[in-house]
Amino acid sequence: MTHDHDHDHDHHHDHDHSELTETQLRVRALETVLTEKGYVEPAALDAIVEAYETKIGPRNGARVVAKAWTDPAFKKALLEDATKAIGTLGHVSRVGDHLIAVENTPKQHNMIVCTLCSCYPWEMLGLPPIWYKAAPYRSRAVKDPRGVLADFGVTLPKDTDIRVWDSTAETRFLVLPMRPAGTEGWSEEQLAEIVTRDSMIGTGVPKAPEEKTK
Amino acid sequence: MNGVHDMGGMDGFGRVEVEQNEPAFHHEWEGRVMAMVRAMGANGGMNIDAQRFSRESLPPAVYLASSYYKKWFLALEQSMIDRDMIASDEIAAGHSLRQSPPLKRGTFSMDDVKRVMVRGSFGREPQAAAAFAIGDQVRTKNINPVTHTRLPRYARGHTGVIERINGCHVFPDSNAQGKGDNPQWLYTVVFSGRDLWGADTDPSLKVSIEAFEPYLERA
Amino acid sequence: MTHDHHEHHHHEHGSELSEMQLRTRALESILLEKGYIEPAALDELVETYEKRIGPRNGAQVVAKAWADPEFRKWLFMDGTAAVGSLGFGGRSANHLVALENTPTVHNMVVCTLCSCYPWAVLGLPPLWYKSAPYRSRAVSDPRGVLRDFGIEMPKDTEIRIWDSTAELRYLVVPMRPEGTEGWSEEKLADLVTRDSMIGTGLAKRPEELK
């Protein structure tokens, strides 16, 4: 995969390097202007970048899923009011309001998309990947989700229905994937390790027990 | 607005391309852009709905050809110019050339970082009773505003069922224009894939949207 | 408009132009070498559209409809046959429908999906007709589009948009201007602009003829 796979234009390959430097310069220019006007402090921007590069990521969501798999009362509370339920967990970062957890079952597989832009449960999963925000997924998920799943190498049984949730408002969705067989007796921490980001969006399934050792 | 951002159901974009172990930011400038957008959203009075509308308003060819954070950057620049917070000559010079009005909430500093790391609540007190109940059949209106809306084209003029009531929220259609919260009831409305896309569609498909009450009428 | 948009455009005009020229020549050479085309035939096509087929054809049709009530009746009943009778036949003259502008109804033609156009009577369509702004706005804001053309339609005039989604092509017959009684068809044709036959313009008034 080329590092600029979100561009289709042929001629971009030729001057991609110079376009990169141009954007870098323009962004720096803007940051300088905003700093000089007293609008931002660069250290504050650094802190945000660092939080997303190192601290916030799918691990948060994986912990929530692992707990739901092992604790039926928590699972019930999660499906009823995800924001409130997660708020009771001390070790997971605070999550914004309006989070809804949706459960995968043998009868129904859930998939989340934002056709209009890139709405995503940031506090649970970190920043969304490029593919989630790009035209192919946004355009096809609501019309041909099985085709999209095929792009991810996932085939669902014919008798499993697919429910696609278009995040058109501030309500955000977290998919609660099905717990894989062969994980009986596992600790929450062990279970969290097989919960993939894509399984919480609905474009993947958790790792099989054999795959646990990364 | 009926822009190219409203892509649900469009064809021709090709396969979903996945990058394994994708970093949060592919280039340093992307992180800076994300942070600046957050900062201006929090302290600069640019609410999220107005920010989204500014990206939707990029020229279509630019929208489709620009990477995600490039769109954020271009829209941020343009929004700040439109609000007379910065000027084109300053961008070209890479320096502030004159004094600008202070931000509503002051300089975005370390004290503000914690606040922006958790999404605010968009829930508001109800202004009236909810018009619809769970299980109601509703039809989405055929609205075509040139301003911001969150009712995608593919979901207009279709009949669905109220599945959830999600409380009252800030209404994006008016908030994007600086007309205030104007809270509206928010519902999860589910449609059958066949109703949306025609008789040849996978019968096992259901699609839902989060619809504000002004988008709906009784079916 | 952002700086970025202008830059992109400049790049296109400079090197992209010569790039297209080179690539087109390359393809034409290949087609020639494979025996798929004869260059003279391509030249003939180009010349036909540069010199021989153009809005003058349509103007003559409209002028005749203004001057000759029988022809006018025929034109609206069977556009294909009436236009064909003047020698303007061939591609896209099949299924031609003439639309009558009146004081109460103004017609405007667009092809939202691509660029369908009545070539036989109007020649090749102008760039604006084939471009996104016209294609997107004509069907939802025709008054706004007409304003872009400098025309303010009276509020009580009905505007009828025809989206040429199939092989049927449309020719708008604009209203005959005042003060042209007794004019010859040739002189009348001078008043008929291309845009007036698409519906984004009106026929010229006698004063406007030089």
Side-chain angles (χ1 to χ4, degrees):
Chain A
M1 206 94 307
T2 62
H3 63 275
D4 68 330
H5 65 84
D6 50 346
H7 280 110
D8 279 336
H9 293 168
D10 257 293
H11 64 266
H12 269 94
H13 270 103
D14 299 337
H15 62 103
D16 176 63
H17 179 71
S18 57
E19 183 171 296
L20 195 70
T21 324
E22 191 209 324
T23 306
Q24 186 90 17
L25 290 171
R26 288 176 66 180
V27 172
R28 275 200 198 140
L30 183 63
E31 191 175 331
T32 304
V33 171
L34 297 190
T35 304
E36 287 175 5
K37 289 187 182 294
Y39 287 168
V40 301
E41 274 172 25
L45 302 185
D46 293 343
I48 295 177
V49 173
E50 188 180 331
Y52 281 107
E53 281 185 325
T54 61
K55 296 190 198 108
I56 303 177
R59 181 92 187 139
N60 295 353
R63 282 173 170 156
V64 169
V65 168
K67 190 167 180 71
W69 283 346
T70 53
D71 181 344
F74 177 76
K75 177 176 168 178
K76 188 158 174 280
L78 182 72
L79 294 176
E80 248 168 45
D81 185 341
T83 301
K84 192 156 153 226
I86 294 171
T88 66
L89 301 181
H91 62 286
V92 177
S93 69
R94 237 201 81 197
V95 62
D97 287 353
H98 324 305
L99 185 68
I100 296 177
V102 294
E103 183 187 12
N104 280 358
T105 68
K107 287 227 68 191
Q108 176 168 303
H109 179 89
N110 297 282
M111 211 162 108
I112 316 302
V113 67
C114 177
T115 60
L116 297 174
C117 50
S118 59
C119 301
Y120 191 74
W122 290 32
E123 296 101 340
M124 285 290 97
L125 300 185
L127 295 175
I130 286 182
W131 60 258
Y132 182 87
K133 305 178 282 193
Y137 187 72
R138 286 168 56 190
S139 58
R140 286 173 51 217
V142 287
K143 194 166 68 165
D144 179 26
R146 284 184 196 270
V148 169
L149 286 171
D151 283 355
F152 282 88
V154 175
T155 309
L156 294 175
K158 268 203 173 61
D159 53 6
T160 302
D161 291 344
I162 299 195
R163 166 64 180 273
V164 180
W165 305 71
D166 192 355
S167 316
T168 52
E170 292 303 327
T171 30
R172 296 294 145 87
F173 299 94
L174 183 76
V175 173
L176 177 57
M178 288 194 288
R179 177 175 181 169
T183 60
E184 295 73 27
W186 285 26
S187 70
E188 272 184 44
E189 183 139 340
Q190 289 173 309
L191 287 169
E193 280 183 34
I194 59 168
V195 180
T196 63
R197 177 204 56 203
D198 290 357
S199 70
M200 293 182 282
I201 299 172
T203 51
V205 294
K207 292 182 187 165
E210 311 83 73
E211 292 175 74
K212 185 171 89 71
T213 46
K214 244 195 299 230
Chain B
M1 60 178 283
N2 290 350
V4 291
H5 70 287
D6 189 352
M7 325 185 127
M10 277 173 78
D11 297 320
F13 289 116
R15 295 184 49 142
V16 176
E17 294 184 359
V18 179
E19 182 188 338
Q20 298 305 325
N21 302 315
E22 189 188 315
F25 304 113
H26 288 70
H27 308 288
E28 190 230 354
W29 63 261
E30 291 191 335
R32 309 313 292 178
V33 168
M34 192 277 296
M36 282 190 280
V37 168
R38 279 283 178 99
M40 291 302 106
N43 287 28
M46 293 195 237
N47 68 63
I48 183 79
D49 302 304
Q51 285 184 334
R52 289 197 186 113
F53 184 54
S54 69
R55 289 164 209 151
E56 293 163 12
S57 301
L58 291 171
V62 172
Y63 185 96
L64 292 174
S66 298
S67 68
Y68 184 73
Y69 286 110
K70 181 91 182 262
K71 289 196 270 271
W72 278 39
F73 172 70
L74 294 174
L76 175 68
E77 252 190 4
Q78 192 59 49
S79 297
M80 296 192 78
I81 291 172
D82 291 345
R83 287 166 171 74
D84 294 322
M85 294 165 90
I86 63 178
S88 316
D89 60 345
E90 293 177 315
I91 294 171
H95 286 285
S96 177
L97 298 176
R98 57 193 68 88
Q99 196 150 34
S100 294
L103 299 185
K104 280 179 193 208
R105 294 175 93 156
T107 305
F108 183 81
S109 65
M110 288 301 288
D111 295 336
D112 298 302
V113 172
K114 207 163 166 191
R115 182 163 56 88
V116 303
M117 292 314 295
V118 180
R119 261 181 354 112
S121 176
F122 297 86
R124 296 291 184 271
E125 282 305 305
Q127 309 291 292
F132 304 108
I134 292 177
D136 280 358
Q137 283 230 6
V138 291
R139 183 170 39 248
T140 46
K141 293 180 184 168
N142 182 18
I143 56 167
N144 288 276
V146 296
T147 47
H148 186 63
T149 184
R150 295 295 289 188
L151 180 60
R153 268 175 291 195
Y154 76 84
R156 294 174 192 168
H158 287 285
T159 302
V161 176
I162 303 279
E163 194 183 72
R164 281 179 200 245
I165 304 179
N166 295 314
C168 276
H169 288 230
V170 172
F171 186 45
D173 304 46
S174 33
N175 194 37
Q177 297 177 73
K179 293 183 176 165
D181 287 355
N182 188 14
Q184 300 294 333
W185 285 97
L186 180 65
Y187 306 90
T188 300
V189 179
V190 61
F191 306 91
S192 80
R194 287 203 152 158
D195 284 345
L196 292 179
W197 309 114
D200 290 339
T201 310
D202 179 354
S204 75
L205 174 62
K206 280 191 168 30
V207 180
S208 66
I209 64 169
E210 303 299 290
F212 289 90
E213 198 166 280
Y215 301 161
L216 306 172
E217 58 196 5
R218 202 164 288 282
Chain C
M1 227 27 22
T2 63
H3 177 67
D4 177 78
H5 174 67
H6 278 132
E7 283 223 344
H8 187 75
H9 227 66
H10 268 110
H11 169 81
E12 276 187 358
H13 281 140
S15 57
E16 186 171 299
L17 201 65
S18 6
E19 192 203 325
M20 281 315 298
Q21 189 84 14
L22 290 170
R23 291 175 67 177
T24 307
R25 273 197 203 147
L27 183 61
E28 195 175 327
S29 302
I30 294 169
L31 296 186
L32 189 73
E33 287 167 22
K34 289 191 182 291
Y36 289 168
I37 55 162
E38 277 170 31
L42 294 188
D43 292 342
E44 176 66 15
L45 282 173
V46 173
E47 178 148 340
T48 300
Y49 281 105
E50 280 187 328
K51 308 233 172 74
R52 286 183 234 131
I53 302 185
R56 186 72 187 171
N57 297 1
Q60 290 176 69
V61 171
V62 169
K64 194 170 184 72
W66 285 346
D68 180 346
E70 281 306 306
F71 180 79
R72 183 187 184 89
K73 222 166 121 210
W74 190 25
L75 179 66
F76 288 125
M77 232 177 53
D78 187 346
T80 307
V83 166
S85 76
L86 298 183
F88 307 133
R91 266 186 80 78
S92 87
N94 288 343
H95 319 302
L96 189 73
V97 171
L99 307 171
E100 185 184 10
N101 277 0
T102 70
T104 50
V105 178
H106 179 85
N107 297 282
M108 208 162 110
V109 182
V110 66
C111 176
T112 59
L113 298 174
C114 48
S115 59
C116 302
Y117 194 71
W119 291 27
V121 283
L122 295 188
L124 296 174
L127 190 58
W128 60 259
Y129 181 87
K130 306 180 280 195
S131 300
Y134 186 70
R135 287 169 54 191
S136 58
R137 286 173 54 217
V139 289
S140 59
D141 180 27
R143 283 181 191 275
V145 170
L146 285 167
R147 239 167 254 134
D148 286 353
F149 281 89
I151 297 174
E152 190 69 42
M153 269 291 137
K155 268 192 172 56
D156 49 12
T157 303
E158 179 190 316
I159 302 195
R160 170 64 187 274
I161 309 300
W162 303 74
D163 192 352
S164 316
T165 51
E167 291 306 319
L168 218 58
R169 299 294 148 85
Y170 298 101
L171 177 74
V172 174
V173 178
M175 288 194 285
R176 177 175 181 166
E178 303 267 313
T180 59
E181 296 71 26
W183 283 30
S184 68
E185 277 182 36
E186 181 147 338
K187 199 152 169 234
L188 285 171
D190 286 344
L191 298 173
V192 185
T193 65
R194 177 202 56 201
D195 289 358
S196 69
M197 292 183 281
I198 299 171
T200 51
L202 307 172
K204 287 185 181 164
R205 284 163 290 124
E207 318 79 85
E208 290 175 284
L209 259 192
K210 209 138 50 83

